[in-house]
Amino acid sequence: GAGVSQSPSNKVTEKGKDVELRCDPISGHTALYWYRQSLGQGLEFLIYFQGNSAPDKSGLPSDRFSAERTGGSVSTLTIQRTQQEDSAVYLCASSFSGGAVGELFFGEGSRLTVL
Amino acid sequence: DAKTTQPPSMDCAEGRAANLPCNHSTISGNEYVYWYRQIHSQGPQYIIHGLKNNETNEMASLIITEDRKSSTLILPHATLRDTAVYYCIASPDRSNYQLIWGAGTKLIIKP
């Protein structure tokens, strides 16, 4: 597709379950980013991938959160043992290059609700 | 990292210019000012960015004061589709991925 694709668009889970969120970036974009947005708030940076370099995980809120990017393309954000405070919209973005001035292209987000 | 301050909400009449202010008094010399907007239930959309000089593109104009402590985003002819939350962000060290996002300005365009 032409834009950043995220799935699922909505996920409802029970506290303590693991969830996986998927991001398919724009073809040719080397940089990929994950953000979290709570209701009525701005975006909170989680993790950043640039090519084959080690990812910047400095924004991950706890060790229950992890992400990987396979083959420099698709990325999966995994949240283990979900808590109610994990409820938020998880946004993925990609760009031509990371660590430089440029435009981020965002997906529509995955809305996670933890009951 | 420079923080930005924006009014929580603004109204503008359809067809008029919408002027959205942003204060970034602690911005450093190598930090860019970015603007994004987020229409309800969608991902953020890039609008424009600048360092020192005023910038213009097909969507908007960005006016940055000479001391770089504030800026204004101008939508020249606002339409109902411009209703959104507008985020003003200062980027640290030319690395825009850790942009610090505040709560933004909710702009409502009224017919």
Side-chain angles (χ1 to χ4, degrees):
Chain A
V4 176
S5 178
Q6 292 189 245
S7 61
S9 56
N10 279 286
K11 175 71 176 179
V12 180
T13 191
E14 294 179 347
K15 178 181 174 182
K17 300 284 190 182
D18 296 352
V19 297
E20 286 190 349
L21 308 176
R22 175 189 167 101
C23 173
D24 199 344
I26 293 172
S27 178
H29 281 190
T30 60
L32 186 147
Y33 320 75
W34 282 98
Y35 294 86
R36 177 169 71 174
Q37 186 173 31
S38 300
L39 189 63
Q41 303 297 312
L43 275 64
E44 175 189 4
F45 166 74
L46 296 177
I47 189 169
Y48 155 65
F49 296 90
Q50 169 55 30
N52 295 321
S53 302
D56 179 349
K57 305 178 182 180
S58 60
L60 294 178
S62 79
D63 59 8
R64 296 186 296 105
F65 288 73
S66 63
E68 61 177 21
R69 188 179 185 192
T70 54
S73 181
V74 172
S75 177
T76 302
L77 177 69
T78 301
I79 308 173
Q80 296 179 310
R81 305 180 303 280
T82 53
Q83 303 294 314
Q84 289 183 330
E85 60 263 30
D86 300 334
S87 295
V89 176
Y90 289 81
L91 289 157
C92 176
S94 68
S95 68
F96 284 109
S97 62
V101 178
E103 175 183 350
L104 300 182
F105 295 81
F106 283 86
E108 298 284 310
S110 292
R111 180 176 298 277
L112 175 65
T113 303
V114 182
L115 302 177
Chain B
D1 304 340
K3 288 191 175 180
T4 60
T5 305
Q6 299 176 255
S9 64
M10 290 181 61
D11 293 344
C12 180
E14 187 179 18
R16 304 297 294 269
N19 296 278
L20 291 91
C22 180
N23 288 322
H24 31 79
S25 58
T26 61
I27 197 168
S28 63
N30 62 351
E31 288 184 307
Y32 287 71
V33 178
Y34 282 84
W35 284 85
Y36 281 77
R37 74 180 183 184
Q38 189 172 24
I39 296 170
H40 182 63
S41 297
Q42 296 183 18
Q45 176 191 24
Y46 166 84
I47 301 174
I48 200 167
H49 73 277
L51 183 63
K52 296 180 183 177
N53 300 322
N54 298 337
E55 302 288 343
T56 295
N57 63 21
E58 65 278 6
M59 290 183 67
S61 294
L62 174 61
I63 308 299
I64 303 174
T65 58
E66 192 170 341
D67 63 8
R68 301 208 330 120
K69 293 182 184 298
S70 65
S71 61
T72 301
L73 179 75
I74 301 172
L75 308 178
H77 305 287
T79 71
L80 298 179
R81 287 175 294 181
D82 291 323
T83 291
V85 177
Y86 287 76
Y87 295 96
C88 167
I89 306 146
S91 74
D93 299 324
R94 291 174 55 89
S95 299
N96 61 355
Y97 62 93
Q98 286 195 7
L99 300 180
I100 299 172
W101 298 66
T105 295
K106 172 68 173 178
L107 176 67
I108 299 174
I109 306 300
K110 297 188 173 182

